[in-house]
Amino acid sequence: VLAIISITFTLPSLVNKSSSDPPTDKDILKAIEKVDEASKLYVEDNADGAKKLYSEAIKLNPKNADAYYYRGLSYYDLGNPNLAIDDYDKAIQLNPKFEVAYYHRGIAYSEGLKKYKRAIINYDEAIQLSKKFWQAYNKRGCANYKLGQYERAIQDFDKAIELYPNYVKAYNNRESYPL
């Protein structure tokens, strides 16, 4: 008696996984590990190394808003505000309540591209999502000042100080912008 045993296997090169397929649980966990590794590099001032690992995390799990956000920070630190904005856009698309992504997109518009009106829109959104976001009030104040909106700038600096009385930057900004 001859028994025929059928063995079925797949090689990774033969699997046609579409980029639109949802990530597996294993991919999600690997992506989280990559984000953690990248964050360590970022804290060590290695934005380029961090950016590469964030990109690997995104490849593993394209629905990871944190990976896009943090890669955006890396792009900005590397002098690429437009690429940073693209990543903040994606992070916000995946998580519309991601207030720090709005905040950092505002910074990229304001400090990176000198587009103060666009920056203010983003700071407004961050503040709308988090009413006590004192850093956003301060940055919005700076953008308002650049647009010649001095009274609004002072109001924003005052609000930042009200929310966080030890925030020296807001005091410095308020005092250094004469009316």
Side-chain angles (χ1 to χ4, degrees), residues 54-70:
Y54 292 130
S55 295
E56 290 178 26
I58 290 166
K59 195 173 200 176
L60 288 165
N61 180 8
K63 295 187 185 282
N64 186 329
D66 289 338
Y68 285 102
Y69 166 72
Y70 287 117

Side-chain angles (χ1 to χ4, degrees), residues 11 23 48 63-64 66 81 93 112 128 133 147 159 163 170:
L11 297 173
D48 191 50
K63 295 187 185 282
N64 186 329
D66 289 338
Q93 177 188 350
Q128 183 65 30
F133 201 160
L147 292 173
K159 185 65 176 181
L163 292 170

Side-chain angles (χ1 to χ4, degrees), residues 1 6 109 146 152:
V1 175
S6 171
Y109 277 121
K146 295 288 187 179
R152 286 184 185 168

Side-chain angles (χ1 to χ4, degrees), residues 161-173:
I161 291 165
E162 175 190 322
L163 292 170
Y164 185 51
N166 295 327
Y167 190 47
V168 176
K169 283 185 180 181
Y171 287 101
N172 291 340
N173 288 336

